[in-house]
């Protein structure tokens, strides 16, 4: 039992506002919710929409159909009518356009007109929310509370909005008393309704990141926005002149002692690779959140893709260790980004955290996070362990040199260098020292590999059908496994969050018993499948690839699986 | 107690004999000593080039980064640890060529950083190509018919962008250069000192004698007069003025960053105590 709501309109018409209000009311009322934004790279006009999926438990991904379509303009109806089912309802404003005569599912609500009657046309969004709440059979209490909180500081706006809400509710009731019945409530108690960018921003802050320098680029800008709004907690956010400056700035800040991060997307990462290599050579801890969107070049700025795995694995000149982690689902991402900071500090290297637009712009109802689980150790050398004179790049068995901060020990200095250097940090060119330094840096790889988490196996313990995936496709794969099992198949998914060094134990163990394996990726060439082949010599049976800029729908995966088993 | 010996390293210096960089190095070491700074209190950031090798020759903290990228790490380090005296030292190619964009925007930012550019009007380390400040007509292997681009005027640009401290020095005028370095290091905000530095190996045009004949220490110049400063900055020819062209502080970058003010102000960001548990309430906004 689930209900899918789709709200669409031109950019600037308030699609986001309707979706946000509605979502918060639903989550506060105890329903399980997942939502996703689909938007164009323009500020006004075009066609944007948000989808909400309401179920008895928080769904893992959004659904394809539209039980309730809120059409803020005619285009929304035209574009999405194919998603309507027999019992669907279409909320629209009869003063702005009319539905075709054969359309019987219409719920005419004078969005603009009622908003004006309530005090201002801008409240058309609130009118729409009232109408949807009626259709869902919810009362207005939670919505009224929310509006009171939202507009508490704006004179007169609370009353006006509540009036608008009620008018929408009552006008919709002329069509049906309650068109849908909601599923069971998921949980009592307070839950969060939060999207991927906000989770990452909050995790960074709570992980002790105190400096972010970035250049705006969708889909990672949301992280910068979040942190910029939290400067009262002692975090510095600097909009750099370009991505080159961004990564070099965080390198300087990290060298001087602050957990630092940047966030970007493919084009920005392309500019950062020289700095990435500098992090490798100077052994400076930094976290780079790389939000993928379709390329090449500027690609589809506001859409999703998993097309840059190979780029982040190989980006940067020279050979140096790095870790690559990915964002799978919201809860996991909170702790995993903390792990990224931990790995960066512990191993003194760059850590790339791979996400994508699908992850950034998906919001769900989830349990609150446990902040006590976060690591905040800095792994700096302490006075008692200090060998004098201090050498930044002292050769050690595990490849990790004692890290001190400039100014930390009076009398001692810290020298970092992008040239090949000796243990003191001074430029060298001799073959022996060069070999020693390369080996020292690469020895970290051993420790790193032991930190990598095995992929999550979901579903049947000895599956016939295995779905392999990584990153933000987690939810779709899980739901696909549920659907396959419901059809009587022995299916499982194996989903990777830590990507490099690649943890291969579980996959190597399970492969022999699998009859058909599928690698599911949001890209055109099957980059993860190639990585598996490279690392363990295993060739997946089928690749399910999607590269139209949109996230996977469960049905698409099921169709491909059924076609090939 | 404070002597320039404190700042000497055991590194073999990889510059050509007679290079103007030696004088700048010496003056820097003396300046640090006379300002009574200890090695661990100073951070020297540089890019890549002959000039940019300098962190290896001065015993202070050093971040010898990438070509053209000396300024951004310096800005980051300044934010992270306000107790460090941050100096950026790099070549003209490094600063005005590859790093041009950072040069523009660091001036706009106005962090408390002293920036000493070794301006030899040529690329030294890569063996003699033109730099952005090369004089027109200078012939090189690449600019075989002579430089045709109009030269970059760092002082004029810095003034235009609102830099609070703009000066020019000459490696052949060591006492004068020391005064400039001291003033730049005491100036609260971004301070540019463009230092004319003969490259004996590759710049056969702007030689020591060429500079010596032309440089003229500024006298009776009022360094708060922006118009006069601009006029001086455009002077290049028979007479080349050296000295402080402009010196008027404006609020620094750091002084305008919320996280570096108030109750936070005294303690460098790098050393602040932090407990993730104290932030659990951040979640409430999403409930
Ligand atoms: C990205 C990059 N491009 C090019 C180089 C090669 N390179 C090293 S130093 C240099 C020019 C140095 O000139 P300048 O900054 O004027 O310093 P000088 O050697 O004259 O002191 C160049 C082009 C490099 N190291 N990195
Ligand atoms: S090449 Fe020029 S700048 Fe470089 S060390 Fe030699 S003289 Fe100095």
């Amino acid at each position: 039992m689930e209900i899918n709501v789709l709200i669409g309109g031109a950019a600037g018409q308030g699609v986001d506002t309707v979706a946000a209000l509605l979502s918060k009311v639903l989550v506060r009322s105890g329903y399980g919710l997942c939502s996703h934004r689909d938007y164009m790279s323009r500020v006004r006009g075009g066609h944007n929409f948000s989808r909400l999926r309401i179920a008895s438990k928080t769904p893992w991904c959004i659904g394809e159909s539209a039980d309730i379509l809120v059409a803020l303009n005619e285009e929304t109806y035209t574009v999405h009518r194919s998603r309507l089912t027999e019992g669907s309802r279409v909320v629209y404003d009869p003063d702005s356009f009319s539905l075709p005569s054969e359309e019987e599912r219409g719920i005419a609500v004078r969005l603009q007109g009622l908003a004006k009657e309530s005090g201002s046309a801008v409240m058309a969004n609130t009118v729409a929310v009232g109408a949807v709440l009626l259709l869902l059979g919810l009362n207005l209490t939670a919505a009224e509370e929310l509006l009171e909180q939202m507009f508490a500081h704006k004179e007169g706006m609370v009353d006006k909005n509540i009036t608008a809400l009620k008018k929408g509710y009552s006008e919709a009731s002329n069509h049906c008393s309650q068109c849908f019945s909601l599923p069971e409530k998921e949980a009592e108690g307070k839950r969060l309704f939060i999207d991927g960018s906000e989770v990452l921003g909050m995790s960074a802050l709570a992980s002790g990141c105190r400096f972010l320098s970035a250049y705006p680029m969708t889909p990672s800008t949301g992280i910068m926005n979040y942190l910029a709004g939290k400067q009262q907690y002692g975090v510095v956010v600097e909009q750099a002149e370009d991505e080159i400056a961004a990564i070099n700035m965080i390198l300087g800040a990290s060298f001087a002692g602050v957990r630092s991060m940047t966030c970007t997307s493919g084009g920005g990462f392309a500019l950062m690779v020289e700095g990435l290599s500098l992090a490798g050579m100077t052994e400076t801890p930094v976290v780079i959140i790389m939000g993928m969107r379709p390329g090449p070049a500027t690609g589809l700025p506001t859409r999703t893709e998993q097309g840059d795995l190979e780029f982040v694995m190989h980006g940067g000149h020279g050979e140096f260790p790095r870790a690559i982690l990915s964002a799978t689902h919201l809860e996991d991402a909170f702790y995993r980004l903390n792990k990224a900071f931990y790995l960066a500090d512990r191993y003194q290297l760059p850590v790339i955290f791979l996400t994508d637009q699908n992850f950034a712009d998906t919001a769900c109802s989830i349990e609150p996070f446990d902040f006590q689980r976060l690591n905040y150790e800095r792994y700096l050398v302490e006075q008692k362990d200090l060998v004098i004179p201090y050498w930044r790049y002292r050769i050690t068995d595990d490849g990790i040199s004692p890290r001190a901060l400039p100014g930390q020990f009076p009398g001692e200095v810290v020298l970092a260098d992008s040239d090949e250097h000796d243990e003191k940090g001074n430029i060298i060119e001799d073959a022996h020292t060069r070999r020693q330094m390369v080996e020292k840096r690469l020895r970290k790889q051993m420790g790193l590999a032991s930190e990598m988490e095995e992929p999550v196996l979901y579903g049947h313990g000895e599956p016939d059908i295995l779905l392999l995936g990584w990153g933000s496709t987690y939810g779709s794969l899980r739901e696909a496994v549920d659907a396959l099992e419901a059809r009587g198949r022995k299916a499982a998914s194996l989903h990777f969050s830590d990507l490099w060094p690649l943890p291969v134990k579980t996959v190597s163990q399970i492969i022999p018993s699998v009859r058909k394996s599928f690698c599911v990726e949001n890209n055109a060439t099957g980059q993860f499948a190639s990585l598996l082949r490279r690392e363990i010599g295993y060739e997946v049976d089928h690749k399910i690839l999607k590269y139209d800029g949109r996230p996977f729908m469960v049905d698409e995966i099921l169709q491909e699986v059924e076609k090939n088993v | 107690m404070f002597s320039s010996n404190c700042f000497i390293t055991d590194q073999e210096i990889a510059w050509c004999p007679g290079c103007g960089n030696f004088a700048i190095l010496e003056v820097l070491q003396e300046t640090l000593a006379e300002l009574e700074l200890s090695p661990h209190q100073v951070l020297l950031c540089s890019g890549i080039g002959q000039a940019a090798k300098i962190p290896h020759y001065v015993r202070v903290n050093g971040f010898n980064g990438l070509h053209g990228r000396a300024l951004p790490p310096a800005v980051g380090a300044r934010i992270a640890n306000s107790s460090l005296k941050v100096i950026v030292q790099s070549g003209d190619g490094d600063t005005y060529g590859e790093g041009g964009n950072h040069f523009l925007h660091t001036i706009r930012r106005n962090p408390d950083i002293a920036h000493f550019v070794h301006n030899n009007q040529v690329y030294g380390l890569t063996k003699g190509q033109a730099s952005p400040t090369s004089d027109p007509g200078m012939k090189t292997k690449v600019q075989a018919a002579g430089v045709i681009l109009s030269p970059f005027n760092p002082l004029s640009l810095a003034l235009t962008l609102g830099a609070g401290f703009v000066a020019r020095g000459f490696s052949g005028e060591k006492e004068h250069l020391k005064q400039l370095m001291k003033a730049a290091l005491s100036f609260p905000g971004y301070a540019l000192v463009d230092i004319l530095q003969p490259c004996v190996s590759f710049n056969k045009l702007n030689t020591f004698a060429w500079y010596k004949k032309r440089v003229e220490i500024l006298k009776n110049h009022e360094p708060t007069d922006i118009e006069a400063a601009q006029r001086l900055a455009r002077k290049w020819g028979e007479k080349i003025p050296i000295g402080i062209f402009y010196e008027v502080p404006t609020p620094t970058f750091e002084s305008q960053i919320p996280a570096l003010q108030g109750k936070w102000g005294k303690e460098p960001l790098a050393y602040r105590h932090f407990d993730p548990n104290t932030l659990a309430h951040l979640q409430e906004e999403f409930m």
Side-chain angles (χ1 to χ4, degrees):
Chain A
M1 171 69 216
E2 61 176 62
I3 296 174
N4 291 294
V5 182
L6 191 153
I7 304 133
Q13 268 196 312
V15 170
D16 286 348
T17 319
V18 180
L21 277 168
L22 212 49
S23 301
K24 209 142 187 169
V25 169
L26 285 160
V27 175
R28 283 188 179 186
S29 307
Y31 296 98
L33 185 71
C34 180
S35 82
H36 179 75
R37 298 197 309 141
D38 191 304
Y39 53 103
M40 295 181 71
S41 184
R42 53 188 288 180
V43 175
R44 297 253 163 228
H47 177 61
N48 290 357
F49 60 98
S50 272
R51 286 190 271 189
L52 319 183
R53 183 171 170 207
I54 314 158
S56 53
K57 272 201 158 152
T58 301
W60 285 103
C61 53
I62 46 154
E64 186 58 5
S65 64
D67 300 307
I68 299 175
L69 179 65
V70 181
L72 298 180
N73 60 7
E74 189 166 9
E75 189 184 7
T76 302
Y77 174 75
T78 325
V79 172
H80 298 286
R81 71 198 295 179
S82 61
R83 299 181 197 270
L84 297 170
T85 61
E86 207 162 302
S88 291
R89 290 285 191 277
V90 183
V91 177
Y92 71 104
D93 188 339
D95 295 337
S96 117
F97 66 97
S98 33
L99 296 179
S101 55
E102 75 279 6
E103 181 58 85
E104 288 164 353
R105 295 167 287 197
I107 306 279
V109 179
R110 290 171 297 124
L111 303 175
Q112 294 279 337
L114 294 175
K116 275 187 208 141
E117 286 171 24
S118 316
S120 159
V122 296
M123 294 184 302
N125 300 320
T126 316
V127 176
V129 172
V132 176
L133 292 177
L134 179 277
L135 299 185
L136 293 172
L138 277 171
N139 67 33
L140 295 180
T141 320
E144 286 175 3
E145 268 175 34
L146 182 62
L147 291 171
E148 271 165 28
Q149 284 171 9
M150 281 175 58
F151 295 108
H153 55 284
K154 284 194 186 161
E155 188 82 34
M157 287 307 284
V158 174
D159 289 345
K160 285 180 188 163
N161 270 282
I162 290 181
T163 308
L165 183 80
K166 286 182 173 159
K167 282 186 192 283
Y169 191 85
S170 115
E171 187 142 313
S173 73
N174 296 335
H175 299 270
C176 57
S177 57
Q178 166 193 342
C179 308
F180 297 91
S181 26
L182 280 163
E184 296 287 296
K185 292 187 183 194
E186 175 171 31
E188 295 302 328
K190 287 193 167 169
R191 284 172 312 147
L192 314 176
F193 182 68
I194 189 167
D195 72 25
S197 298
E198 292 159 342
V199 165
L200 295 181
M202 197 195 288
S203 171
L205 192 59
S207 295
C209 172
R210 286 295 169 272
F211 183 53
L212 170 113
S213 179
Y215 191 82
M217 190 167 185
T218 307
S220 71
T221 315
I223 300 165
M224 177 157 53
N225 289 344
Y226 177 88
L227 284 170
K230 296 288 178 286
Q231 302 200 36
Q232 69 271 32
Y233 295 99
V235 61
V236 180
V237 174
E238 176 61 1
Q239 180 178 321
E241 54 269 30
D242 53 32
E243 288 83 352
I244 300 172
I247 189 160
N248 280 282
M249 260 189 220
I250 66 166
L251 281 167
S254 175
F255 168 76
V258 169
R259 272 196 172 178
S260 303
M261 172 173 101
T262 185
C263 53
T264 188
S265 185
F269 189 82
L271 291 179
M272 286 182 186
V273 295
E274 188 200 25
L276 177 72
S277 178
L278 177 63
M281 182 53 121
T282 57
E283 305 190 42
T284 307
V286 282
V287 172
I288 303 161
I289 299 185
M290 158 63 178
M292 294 177 288
R293 68 191 214 189
T298 312
L300 295 174
T302 63
R303 312 284 174 192
T304 202
E305 191 160 278
Q306 297 182 305
D308 295 324
L309 174 62
E310 289 182 341
F311 181 31
V312 301
M313 281 197 61
H314 303 294
H317 53 297
E319 299 167 300
F320 58 93
R322 71 187 80 192
I324 303 171
L325 313 183
S326 69
T328 51
H329 60 96
L330 297 169
E331 235 150 346
D332 179 66
F334 183 77
Y335 304 105
R336 203 162 300 278
L337 183 63
N338 178 253
K339 178 176 180 175
F341 282 101
Y342 155 75
L343 292 175
D345 269 352
R346 173 102 172 74
Y347 293 92
Q348 303 172 16
L349 40 67
V351 179
I352 299 154
F353 192 87
L354 260 188
T355 106
D356 53 30
Q357 184 267 334
N358 181 30
F359 176 82
D361 290 321
T362 296
C364 295
S365 53
I366 56 174
E367 293 303 312
F369 301 114
D370 180 2
F371 281 57
Q372 290 195 1
R373 272 177 60 190
L374 301 180
N375 163 295
Y376 184 64
E377 220 190 307
R378 308 298 313 281
Y379 302 97
L380 297 173
V381 63
E382 288 176 33
Q383 183 82 56
K384 63 176 171 42
D385 304 317
L386 185 69
V387 181
I388 291 179
Y390 169 76
W391 291 352
R392 172 67 188 92
Y393 300 108
R394 210 173 267 282
I395 306 262
T396 58
D397 289 342
D398 58 7
I400 301 170
S401 303
R403 177 166 173 242
L405 305 181
Q408 188 183 351
F409 299 108
E412 298 301 316
V413 297
V414 186
L415 178 61
D417 203 285
S418 71
D419 283 86
E420 189 58 277
H421 41 254
D422 60 15
E423 292 183 272
K424 292 184 258 183
N426 287 123
I427 298 179
I428 59 96
E429 298 199 31
D430 73 282
H432 174 68
T433 313
R434 161 68 182 173
R435 246 189 338 265
Q436 278 193 315
M437 280 297 155
V438 171
E439 288 161 8
K440 182 196 100 69
R441 290 189 290 266
L442 291 181
R443 275 202 293 280
K444 297 182 197 176
Q445 194 99 358
M446 302 288 290
L448 257 192
S450 72
E451 302 267 7
M452 294 293 114
E453 199 177 315
E454 288 293 324
V456 177
L457 182 71
Y458 177 75
H460 204 283
E462 286 169 5
D464 288 341
I465 299 172
L466 181 67
L467 305 182
L468 291 151
W470 60 281
S472 75
T473 56
Y474 181 83
S476 315
L477 260 62
R478 242 184 108 116
E479 294 218 352
V481 168
D482 287 343
L484 288 166
E485 293 216 305
R487 295 175 188 182
R489 303 251 186 217
K490 280 170 36 181
S493 63
L494 198 55
H495 203 86
F496 288 75
S497 300
D498 290 354
L499 300 174
W500 187 257
L502 188 72
V504 295
K505 211 173 88 202
T506 312
V507 67
S508 306
Q509 279 166 356
I510 200 160
I511 280 167
S513 66
V514 172
R515 281 203 303 121
K516 276 272 155 76
S517 63
F518 297 83
C519 192
V520 185
E521 297 183 65
N522 255 149
N523 62 43
T525 55
Q527 299 186 14
F528 188 75
S530 306
L531 179 63
L532 270 181
R533 187 177 56 221
R534 194 184 96 183
E535 291 301 301
I536 57 171
Y538 176 68
E539 188 86 50
V540 295
D541 298 314
H542 292 280
K543 293 177 206 160
I544 304 180
L545 305 175
K546 185 171 180 181
Y547 38 87
D548 59 3
R550 274 71 181 172
F552 271 108
M553 291 292 145
V554 177
D555 283 344
E556 296 169 329
I557 300 173
L558 292 176
Q559 271 173 24
E560 283 300 308
V561 171
E562 295 293 2
K563 227 166 48 194
N564 291 293
V565 286
Chain B
M1 157 108 199
F2 290 93
S3 96
S4 55
N5 291 341
C6 304
F7 297 97
I8 289 173
T9 68
D10 59 0
Q11 291 297 300
E12 185 200 338
I13 298 185
W15 288 326
C16 314
C19 171
N21 280 324
F22 285 100
I24 301 175
L25 170 64
E26 224 171 278
V27 172
L28 177 69
Q29 284 164 332
E30 286 168 17
T31 303
L32 295 176
E34 288 177 27
L35 289 176
E36 305 197 346
L37 288 160
S38 297
H40 72 272
Q41 298 171 318
V42 180
L43 172 63
L44 202 55
C45 294
S46 73
I48 296 296
Q50 298 287 27
K53 288 176 182 167
I54 207 159
H56 298 277
Y57 310 144
V58 189
R59 198 175 160 273
V60 293
N61 298 294
F63 190 90
N64 184 188
L66 297 169
H67 187 51
R69 316 297 169 210
L71 286 167
V75 172
R78 235 346 263 179
I79 291 168
N81 190 343
S82 52
S83 67
L84 293 172
K85 206 40 137 181
V86 179
I87 304 170
V88 171
Q89 206 136 3
S90 256
D92 46 319
D94 199 52
T95 300
Y96 309 136
E98 191 85 82
N101 201 28
H102 309 310
F103 179 61
L104 298 187
H105 295 283
T106 306
I107 294 174
R108 292 180 51 230
R109 240 174 228 121
N110 195 29
D112 192 355
I113 287 173
H115 189 181
F116 303 145
V117 183
H118 302 215
N119 185 355
N120 55 13
Q121 302 184 258
V122 76
Y123 282 8
L125 189 62
T126 48
K127 305 201 170 159
Q129 303 81 10
S131 97
T133 53
S134 295
D135 283 329
M138 180 166 107
K139 287 191 176 164
T140 79
K141 277 193 187 147
V142 175
Q143 288 74 25
V147 169
I148 54 174
L149 271 60
S150 49
F152 184 88
N153 186 330
L155 305 184
S156 189
L157 183 80
L159 289 166
T160 301
L161 288 170
F165 185 104
V166 178
R168 180 189 286 135
F170 170 46
S171 67
E173 290 285 354
K174 285 165 65 176
E175 258 324 299
H176 178 250
L177 181 59
K178 196 192 295 176
Q179 297 319 312
L180 294 183
M181 283 193 181
K182 277 189 185 167
L185 277 162
S186 317
F187 180 80
Y190 174 82
L192 172 70
V193 186
D194 186 70
I195 307 167
L196 303 173
Q197 170 239 323
C199 168
V200 294
S201 297
F202 298 111
N203 191 336
K204 307 292 183 201
L205 189 65
N206 314 99
T207 60
F208 187 84
W210 188 93
Y211 286 125
K212 191 79 193 164
K213 207 170 89 194
R214 290 168 170 77
V215 297
E216 196 172 63
I217 296 177
L218 280 177
K219 287 198 192 76
N220 305 322
H221 167 61
E222 181 49 63
T224 54
D225 182 345
I226 186 84
E227 303 294 333
Q230 274 289 11
R231 271 195 305 278
L232 286 170
R234 284 196 288 270
K235 258 191 168 175
W236 185 270
E238 289 313 305
K239 292 284 168 239
I240 300 175
I242 60 171
I244 300 176
F245 288 35
Y246 191 66
E247 184 177 8
V248 175
T250 53
T252 64
F253 178 56
E254 300 91 308
S255 72
Q256 300 175 75
I257 295 176
L260 304 179
Q261 308 310 314
K263 63 173 171 165
W264 306 105
K266 279 165 221 82
E267 182 139 54
L269 208 51
Y271 297 135
R272 283 182 206 164
H273 174 73
F274 170 69
D275 173 6
N277 277 319
T278 58
L279 292 182
H281 67 275
L282 286 174
Q283 307 187 83
E284 283 160 18
E285 136 186 30
F286 300 100
M287 286 177 177

